[in-house]
Amino acid sequence: DSHRHDFMRGAKPQGGRELHGRPGSYLVCDTIPLAPGRVETWHIVLDTPVDHAGVAALQSEIATGAEEKIERDVRHSRERLLDFLASADAFQCTGDDIAAAHHVSNTLFNIARGGVLAHGYDVARDDLRRFLSARNRVVAARHAAWLDALPGRIGMPALRERAAATGDPHLARLVAEYLPLVFSRRHGDPSRPWNRFAIAVDNADGSPRYGYEGNWRDIFQNWEALDRSFPEVIEPMIAKFLNASTADGFNPYRVTQDGIEWEVPDPAHPWSSIGYWGDHQVVYLMRLLEMSLAHHPGRLASMMGAREFTYADVPYRMVPYAGIVANPQKTIVFDADRDRATRERVTAMGTDGRLVQRDGEPLLVTMAEKLLVPILAKISNLVPGGGIWMNTGRPEWNDANNALVGNGVSMVTACYLHRHLGVCAELFDGTPDRSFDMSSHVVRWFTELSAVVRRDAVIDDDHARRAFLDACGEAFAHYRDALYAGGPGESTSVRASDIASFLREAQWLVRATLASNRRPDGLYHSYNLLHLGDGTASLSHLPLMLEGQVAVLSSGLLDPAECIALVDALRASDLYREDQHSYLLYPEKELPAFMAMNVAPGSMLRDAPTLAARVAAGDRHVVARDADGVLRFNADLHNADALRARIEEFPAAEKGAILAAYESVFHHASFTGRSGTMYRYEGIGCIYWHMVAKLWLAVLEVMQSGTPSPAARVALRCHADDIRAGLGFTKSPVEFGAFPLDAYSHTPAFGGASQPGMTGQVKEEILARWIELGVRVEKGAVVFDPASVRADEFLREPREFRWIDTRGKERSMSINAGELAFTLCQVPVVYRPAGAASVVVHFADGREHRLSGPSPAVSGDLFVRRGDLARLTVQFRPE
C-alpha cells in the first residue's frame, strides 16, 4: 500500500514479486527517452494455463528472443481477423466515422457467435468427409468412392449438384445443410450448464477448424445478418432449420454443425432440463424464407416437394390435452427410454441417430410438410383474441418473461405468426396446381384444424373461445397420440391450393386477434393471461411492454399511417426514458416494501375454519401471525403446488379459499420472472438495447417497404432517426456510461450500459445499416437508393477506401468528396453524384456495362461471389 501511495504522489513505482490476500496487477514500468522520429516497441506476454514445464519453456523462449515469433503471430492473427471481417462486409468509407466503426464492431460480434464463411462458398473435401462420418457413418461409407473423387475444394452449388446426381436422398440431405463456417462460439450464459465460452479457430495441426455451435436462438439470429453477405447459403440455413425441428412442431435447444442436441434432467442443475423450445422459431424461419424469396425467386418452390428433410427425435413428450388444461405449467414429460434408444443409435450410426427413424434410416419428408407442421402447432395453441398459448414448457419469446409459461398467451408470437402465414401462403399459392406428399397423421391434423379455423370465428366470447381452444387442442392431441405411438404416418398427398386457403383463413383469424388487442392509448398488448373456467376461456391483460409494439410494427398488420400513429403513441408513453432518449422494456414501477409483502387477508381464516383452528393451536405450516398480528404465509411455500401438499386433507371448499387467497397475495399467474422483480438485465427500469434496435429496424423496414406515401416516408424516417439518436453508438461515453462503439445488453436506471459484446442487438443493427445505406433486394435483384441516405454519410473530403476482395487480395481506391463506399458480397459499391441515375458495372476483366435499373443477372453474379465483378458505381442525381 505504501508503494501505491508513493506512486500516486509521483514517485517511481516499486514492484514486488508477491502479494498476499489482495488483488494484484501485472504492470510494467520503464523510462524511455524518445528522440524525434524514434520508435520503441515492447510486448507483454501472458500465457495461461500452463504447467511448471510450460512456464519454464516460456521463460526460456522469452529470454532467447521471442519478439519475432510474437510479431509474426500477431500479424497473422490480425490478417485472418481482417479477412473474416472483410468477407462479412464490415468495412465502409462514409462521412459518419462512428457509424462505420460501429458496423465493424457489430460485424465482429455477429460472426464471432454465428461464424463466417472464411473461404467463401468453397467446401474442403476433408472436412466434408469428417462431417459425413460424424452425421451418418453408413452414408459416408456408401459414398466413400464419391468422396475420394471430389477435388480438394469444391463450391457449394457444384457439390450439391454432385450429391443430387447420386440419387441418394440422404447424401443430398446432408450436403444440402452443410455449412463451411469457422470462428463460431457458444453463447456464454453462465446460468445454463452447457453455455460456457468456447472458441477454437484452428485444429491441432493448424488447419482451419470448421464448425459452429450455439443455442437455437443465437445461431439463427446471427445467420440472418450473415446472409446479406453470403446469399447462397440462405437455403442451406433453411434446410438446417427445418431438419432440426420436431414432428410435433418445436425444436431442440442446441444446434451444431454435427447435428442437434438437447439437455436432460440433472438434479444437480435445475436449468439443465429445458424441455421443448419454440423460442423465436416463427420469426427466424419467416425471415430466412423472405430472404430466399427476395434473392432467389422460385428456388424454394423447386424444393417444396423434395423428400429430403427430417424430424428431430427430441425425447420430450407433451401430455394429453386434458392434462394441459388441468395444469398448463406441467405439460412436458422426459422419455428416458427414448433418450436411451437415441443414444444407442448415435453410437451405432452417428448423430443422425437423433432423428426420427424408419426402416433403420432417418425418416424423409417434404419441405412442404416441414413448413406446415410448426404452423399447425402454433394454430393449435391459438387463443382467439389473446395470442399463442405458451404451454410447452418454455417461453415463446423473451427470457425475461419465462415465468409466464402455462398462464401466458403471447401476442408477440401471434404478430410474427401473422407475417409468417402470409409468407407461406405466398409459397403455396405459387404452386397452385401441385400436390405435395405428406405424412398421413399430419394430413389428418391439418384436416381437423381446417374445419375449425375460419376467418369469421368468434374471438370475443369466452364460451366460443373455449370451444375453439378445445377443438384445436384435441386435434393436436390426436396427432401427438398417433405420432408418439408410431411416427407421423405413411405418405399421402395434399393439394397446395388447400394448404394456401387454410393459411389465408388462419391469417385472417390471427389478424382479428391482433386488432382486438389495441389499447385505448393506441399501443398494443404484448402478453395476456388465460383463465380457464367451466366451459370458458377468458383473458386479462398484462402491463405495457415494448416488445409488443415492435412485434406489431413488424407483423404486417398496420399500414404506414397506423405505424406512424403507434410510434407517436410510444414516444408519449411511460416506456420513453428521457435521460437516455430511448425506451424501457416495461414502464418503471416501484415494488412494495418488504414488510408490505406477504400479507394474507384475514377473511381467509373465516372461509377456512380448519386452518383457523390450526393457527389458533400454534401450527405455522401454512400461515402464522407475526408479532404485530399480521397474517403471513409460511416462507417455505414456494408455489401453489407446495401449498396444496400442506392442505391436502382440508375440505375442498376450504382448499379453494386458501389457494385463492394465496394467489391474491402473490399474483403468481401474472408473475413474469426477472422483468418484474430485478433491477438489472431485462428488469425494472432497464433499457434492453436489443429491443430498442429491433424497434429501430422495424420502423426502417416499414419505411423501406415501398407502400408509404412520400409524406409518410418522411415521418417514418424522422421516427427512425429519433430512435437511432438514442442508441449507444450515437452518444458520448459520459452519456452512455460505457464505450459507445460496442453493443451492450442493457442500461439500468441507476448506472451506465452493462454487459458488452455479443448481444442480439448486433444482428438488428447490421440489417438496419443496410437500409441506412439504401440497399434492398427484391425479385432477385439488388436495388440501390442513394437518395434515402443521410447527407452526413457522404464524405466531406477525399479518402482512401481499403477492402479485401473475394480472392483475398487487399485493394484500395480513392473516394471523392460527396461520395461514399462500402462492400456488398465483398464487392465495393461506390455512390457517386452525377447528372443521371444509373449503375455502372465494372467487371474484373476490364469491361464496363451501364444499367438503367435493377438487374437479376448482375445481382446473381454478385451473390455467387465468383470474383467476376470488380466494383459497382451507383450514380445518382443529387437533390
Side-chain angles (χ1 to χ4, degrees):
D1 285 347
S2 63
H3 290 164
R4 182 183 65 187
H5 291 302
D6 290 343
F7 172 64
M8 293 172 66
R9 294 186 182 97
K12 184 177 180 178
Q14 300 295 315
R17 294 185 59 83
E18 295 182 352
L19 186 68
H20 300 282
R22 289 166 290 170
S25 299
Y26 295 92
L27 304 176
V28 176
C29 178
D30 199 358
T31 300
I32 304 173
L34 281 178
R38 182 182 170 189
V39 175
E40 286 284 344
T41 62
W42 62 88
H43 300 99
I44 299 175
V45 179
L46 177 65
D47 194 1
T48 183
V50 289
D51 59 15
H52 296 84
V55 172
L58 183 60
Q59 289 174 329
S60 175
E61 188 172 6
I62 293 171
T64 56
E67 288 86 354
E68 184 179 347
K69 180 178 180 181
I70 293 171
E71 287 290 346
R72 186 170 60 249
D73 186 66
V74 169
R75 217 168 26 245
H76 175 67
S77 297
R78 182 177 185 275
E79 288 170 356
R80 290 189 69 189
L81 184 57
L82 288 176
D83 284 341
F84 292 167
L85 289 168
S87 67
D89 295 318
F91 303 120
Q92 301 172 350
C93 181
T94 82
D96 190 338
D97 291 335
I98 297 298
H102 184 56
H103 180 69
V104 174
S105 173
N106 283 338
T107 304
L108 173 60
F109 289 142
N110 192 76
I111 65 175
R113 182 184 284 181
V116 65
L117 285 85
H119 305 288
Y121 301 126
D122 283 354
V123 173
R125 179 187 58 196
D126 290 345
D127 190 68
L128 178 66
R129 190 193 310 275
R130 183 211 59 78
F131 166 77
L132 291 175
S133 297
R135 290 293 301 270
N136 194 313
R137 287 188 290 278
V138 176
V139 172
R142 194 156 64 218
H143 295 284
W146 177 85
L147 275 165
D148 290 339
L150 292 177
R153 284 193 174 277
I154 182 172
M156 293 178 69
L159 177 63
R160 290 196 292 267
E161 289 179 8
R162 290 199 184 197
T166 66
D168 185 341
H170 289 287
L171 179 65
R173 164 182 63 85
L174 290 167
V175 167
E177 71 169 60
Y178 174 81
L179 292 164
L181 292 164
V182 300
F183 202 53
S184 171
R185 76 150 177 92
R186 300 178 193 175
H187 175 45
D189 186 339
S191 67
R192 299 187 175 100
W194 179 79
N195 273 352
R196 295 293 183 266
F197 180 89
I199 183 169
V201 180
D202 295 327
N203 295 313
D205 63 0
S207 62
R209 179 189 177 274
Y210 294 93
Y212 53 86
E213 54 181 354
N215 66 53
W216 181 278
R217 173 179 57 198
D218 295 329
I219 282 289
F220 287 108
Q221 80 174 351
N222 293 111
W223 284 359
E224 183 186 339
L226 184 68
D227 283 350
R228 296 290 181 148
S229 301
F230 296 92
E232 293 303 310
V233 298
I234 297 172
E235 291 76 25
M237 289 176 178
I238 291 172
K240 180 67 179 184
F241 189 109
L242 295 178
N243 287 334
S245 64
T246 66
D248 51 2
F250 302 101
N251 55 268
Y253 176 54
R254 303 198 298 252
V255 180
T256 73
Q257 185 187 56
D258 289 343
I260 54 172
E261 298 174 0
W262 48 80
E263 299 191 345
V264 299
D266 180 355
H269 296 286
W271 275 94
S272 64
S273 180
I274 298 299
Y276 271 9
W277 277 75
D279 191 28
H280 293 62
Q281 186 189 44
V282 166
V283 64
Y284 289 160
L285 178 57
M286 172 200 79
R287 286 191 171 274
L288 288 172
L289 296 175
E290 288 178 339
M291 291 184 70
S292 177
L293 291 169
H295 286 79
H296 307 131
R299 189 172 293 185
L300 286 179
S302 69
M303 298 167 61
M304 292 278 282
R307 295 182 68 89
E308 294 178 357
F309 295 85
T310 58
Y311 285 119
D313 193 12
V314 182
Y316 288 86
R317 299 292 179 257
M318 291 186 67
V319 302
Y321 179 68
I324 295 174
V325 171
N327 190 347
Q329 292 182 313
K330 291 187 177 180
T331 63
I332 305 298
V333 176
F334 179 68
D335 188 336
D337 291 338
R338 184 172 289 273
D339 181 60
R340 190 178 308 109
T342 299
R343 284 188 274 112
E344 291 172 356
R345 292 200 305 262
V346 170
T347 301
M349 70 186 304
T351 58
D352 267 6
R354 297 193 181 102
L355 304 175
V356 173
Q357 306 287 307
R358 178 171 289 172
D359 299 328
E361 291 186 314
L363 171 68
L364 295 177
V365 297
T366 61
M367 175 185 276
E369 178 172 330
K370 290 293 297 187
L371 289 174
L372 184 59
V373 165
I375 289 173
L376 297 179
K378 292 293 184 285
I379 296 297
S380 293
N381 284 319
L382 174 64
V383 180
I388 306 301
W389 189 10
M390 300 187 294
N391 60 14
T392 56
R394 292 299 300 163
E396 294 285 342
W397 192 254
N398 188 349
D399 272 350
N401 293 319
N402 56 17
L404 285 175
V405 167
N407 301 312
V409 181
S410 174
M411 272 286 294
V412 175
T413 301
C415 286
Y416 292 110
L417 179 62
H418 177 267
R419 181 167 158 182
H420 182 59
L421 288 167
V423 173
C424 290
E426 177 185 344
L427 261 176
F428 283 99
D429 274 337
T431 55
D433 300 326
R434 292 179 61 183
S435 292
F436 294 109
D437 288 344
M438 291 198 181
S439 303
S440 57
H441 299 325
V442 173
V443 174
R444 189 183 76 168
W445 184 20
F446 164 72
T447 303
E448 291 183 10
L449 286 182
S450 297
V452 180
V453 175
R454 305 183 314 275
R455 69 178 64 193
D456 59 350
V458 177
I459 67 169
D460 57 357
D461 177 82
D462 291 353
H463 290 87
R465 183 183 295 116
R466 178 61 183 271
F468 180 95
L469 196 61
D470 288 349
C472 292
E474 290 292 357
F476 195 4
H478 295 158
Y479 170 70
R480 293 196 304 272
D481 287 344
L483 173 69
Y484 298 159
E490 299 301 320
S491 180
T492 183
S493 66
V494 182
R495 291 185 302 177
S497 57
D498 290 342
I499 297 173
S501 177
F502 168 78
L503 297 177
R504 295 293 186 199
E505 292 291 308
Q507 188 182 35
W508 271 100
L509 182 55
V510 174
R511 176 185 278 285
T513 292
L514 301 184
S516 70
N517 275 268
R518 188 175 186 273
R519 294 160 42 109
D521 60 4
L523 300 175
Y524 285 77
H525 297 295
S526 300
Y527 292 93
N528 298 308
L529 295 178
L530 177 63
H531 310 279
L532 298 177
D534 185 11
T536 62
S538 60
L539 295 163
S540 60
H541 304 303
L542 286 171
L544 180 65
M545 300 182 188
L546 177 60
E547 60 191 306
Q549 318 322 307
V550 174
V552 170
L553 285 169
S554 300
S555 69
L557 172 74
L558 308 180
D559 63 31
E562 292 170 323
C563 289
I564 293 168
L566 190 152
V567 184
D568 284 336
L570 181 61
R571 186 67 160 75
S573 75
D574 291 340
L575 290 174
Y576 179 67
R577 181 172 154 183
E578 188 171 2
D579 69 312
Q580 283 287 324
H581 189 62
S582 196
Y583 296 89
L584 300 165
L585 264 181
Y586 328 93
E588 190 164 6
K589 65 180 180 180
E590 186 172 334
L591 295 178
F594 181 77
M595 293 305 291
M597 297 179 179
N598 189 17
V599 177
S603 60
M604 179 179 63
L605 296 184
R606 293 195 301 271
D607 296 334
T610 305
L611 178 61
R614 293 195 179 185
V615 170
D619 189 318
R620 305 172 64 90
H621 281 80
V622 178
V623 291
R625 294 193 183 277
D626 64 17
D628 298 323
V630 179
L631 198 63
R632 312 275 187 177
F633 280 99
N634 189 302
D636 290 339
L637 295 171
H638 299 299
N639 53 40
D641 287 343
L643 176 59
R644 285 189 187 92
R646 294 193 186 181
I647 60 174
E648 186 176 3
E649 300 175 356
F650 285 34
E654 292 192 31
K655 285 194 288 188
I658 296 168
L659 288 166
Y662 184 75
E663 174 61 22
S664 73
V665 170
F666 294 105
H667 306 288
H668 280 176
S670 59
F671 176 58
T672 58
R674 66 175 180 254
S675 65
T677 56
M678 299 178 70
Y679 287 89
R680 298 199 70 167
Y681 310 108
E682 297 101 283
I684 300 170
C686 285
I687 295 173
Y688 182 41
W689 292 110
H690 184 183
M691 193 58 64
V692 179
K694 289 174 81 72
L695 172 65
W696 181 36
L697 177 62
V699 175
L700 284 172
E701 286 183 330
V702 175
M703 182 196 75
Q704 196 190 49
S705 65
T707 58
S709 66
R713 187 180 176 87
V714 169
L716 288 163
R717 186 53 185 261
C718 289
H719 275 305
D721 287 347
D722 187 63
I723 296 165
R724 180 186 190 273
L727 289 165
F729 72 95
T730 69
K731 297 176 177 176
S732 70
V734 172
E735 291 174 301
F736 194 46
F739 188 61
L741 288 185
D742 289 349
Y744 279 75
S745 168
H746 66 280
T747 294
F750 50 82
S754 300
Q755 287 187 289
M758 303 178 204
T759 78
Q761 177 185 355
V762 304
K763 181 265 290 188
E764 316 298 344
E765 291 189 342
I766 290 172
L767 298 177
R769 184 63 180 158
W770 289 119
I771 298 177
E772 279 201 301
L773 292 175
V775 179
R776 69 181 187 275
V777 181
E778 56 187 34
K779 298 180 180 179
V782 181
V783 180
F784 299 106
D785 181 17
S788 69
V789 179
R790 295 193 326 275
D792 63 357
E793 293 278 9
F794 294 94
L795 295 177
R796 288 171 288 282
E797 57 186 25
R799 192 179 299 178
E800 197 78 5
F801 176 45
R802 299 180 182 276
W803 77 97
I804 300 172
D805 67 19
T806 55
R807 292 185 172 91
K809 186 174 182 179
E810 291 188 25
R811 302 279 188 175
S812 68
M813 64 187 301
S814 295
I815 307 299
N816 299 319
E819 300 176 351
L820 63 78
F822 55 88
T823 67
L824 178 60
C825 300
Q826 223 166 334
V827 171
V829 179
V830 179
Y831 283 2
R832 175 170 297 163
S838 66
V839 176
V840 180
V841 183
H842 306 266
F843 292 93
D845 61 8
R847 290 180 299 119
E848 291 186 3
H849 180 62
R850 188 176 299 272
L851 303 173
S852 58
S855 169
V858 172
S859 298
D861 288 342
L862 183 73
F863 298 157
V864 297
R865 301 170 62 103
R866 281 194 300 259
D868 298 338
L869 305 179
R871 74 176 187 275
L872 302 175
T873 301
V874 181
Q875 298 180 333
F876 65 99
R877 185 190 298 273
E879 294 185 358

